[in-house]
Amino acid sequence: MAATTPAPLTARALLLDMDGTLVNSDAVVERCWRRWADRQGLDGDEVLKVVHGRQGYATMAVLLPDRPMEQNHADNRVMLAEETADLDGVVPVAGARAFMDAIAGLPHALVTSADATLAAARMGAAGLRMPETRITAECVGASKPDPEGFLKGAAELGFTPAECVVFEDSEAGIQAGRAAGMRIVGVGPRAAAFAPDLYVPDLTRLRVEAGADGTITLTALP
């Protein structure tokens, strides 16, 4: 039986995760989190299964549920500094530069679990334009999979959740987008397992079309 072509999504605003969606930072994430895992006596492979999408302190709380949250926040500050200083191997996801050019005149925001300094460092290292509207770690009280960041992004752009489409790569991020009442474009291999509304292996496989009525049509390419 021939595979069916997924239906395009239409939106009025786009909310973009950064790591794994626009920027491939897996190499530095793995280095930093394996070092942290070693210090805690944890298995690095198991740690890496849960780090993507969340803020660092929230990942630590999942992995070490009995540890005081103050220690998680302290370790997260160290982790953010390490990640910001280590940009070796940080590159754009395939097609990200052309995608960012394609949406330059359309309503969009960055919604990332990175803080502002780390987001600027990684977007810069990948050679990507930083969106004018951005929701970083400092802007929210709860990490993904909580929907707060996406809801704030929609509000800042002036659109309802139903008018927004989220771009995400991780389980936590996809859960956050769904909890916000938004549809999901899943980007990259991690996203495929979590049934996004539209899936692309990378951003070279997505077509963006802007309508005269303000609609944005997103089509997965074969």
Side-chain angles (χ1 to χ4, degrees):
M1 182 183 294
T4 58
T5 302
L9 298 182
T10 58
R12 290 189 172 272
L14 310 178
L15 301 176
L16 316 173
D17 175 54
M18 180 180 71
D19 292 299
T21 302
L22 298 175
V23 174
N24 183 341
S25 56
D26 282 1
V28 61
V29 168
E30 180 166 340
R31 284 193 295 272
C32 290
W33 279 98
R34 284 192 183 279
R35 286 197 298 268
W36 181 85
D38 287 345
R39 293 195 292 266
Q40 309 306 319
L42 298 175
D43 183 290
D45 290 339
E46 293 303 311
V47 167
L48 289 172
K49 290 178 182 178
V50 299
V51 300
H52 297 289
R54 294 179 176 87
Q55 292 190 43
Y57 76 84
T59 294
M60 294 169 192
V62 170
L63 293 165
L64 298 171
D66 297 326
R67 192 165 79 149
M69 190 58 77
E70 297 80 23
Q71 186 61 50
N72 295 335
H73 282 288
D75 275 16
N76 189 45
R77 287 191 289 272
V78 174
M79 178 73 70
L80 286 168
E82 290 180 354
E83 289 186 302
T84 302
D86 184 355
L87 298 173
D88 187 26
V90 174
V91 295
V93 165
R97 289 176 184 160
F99 170 74
M100 292 301 287
D101 287 344
I103 67 169
L106 306 176
H108 66 281
L110 190 73
V111 182
T112 176
S113 292
D115 67 5
T117 302
L118 179 57
R122 285 188 175 161
M123 291 290 280
L128 297 176
R129 172 185 59 80
M130 176 65 83
E132 289 184 20
T133 302
R134 43 197 179 267
I135 306 297
T136 56
E138 301 94 332
C139 303
V140 296
S143 170
K144 299 173 187 176
D146 191 282
E148 181 184 0
F150 288 126
L151 292 172
K152 282 196 169 184
E156 289 224 4
L157 292 173
F159 293 92
T160 67
E163 293 175 308
C164 297
V165 165
V166 163
F167 283 67
E168 266 288 359
D169 72 300
S170 71
E171 180 179 14
I174 289 171
Q175 289 175 344
R178 290 209 188 287
M182 300 172 185
R183 290 154 299 144
I184 315 291
V185 173
V187 181
R190 280 189 291 269
F194 304 109
D197 298 283
L198 195 68
Y199 172 73
V200 290
D202 60 48
L203 292 169
T204 67
R205 305 282 287 277
L206 184 78
R207 182 168 67 235
V208 180
E209 298 170 287
D213 61 352
T215 58
I216 305 165
T217 302
L218 306 166
T219 306
L221 301 176

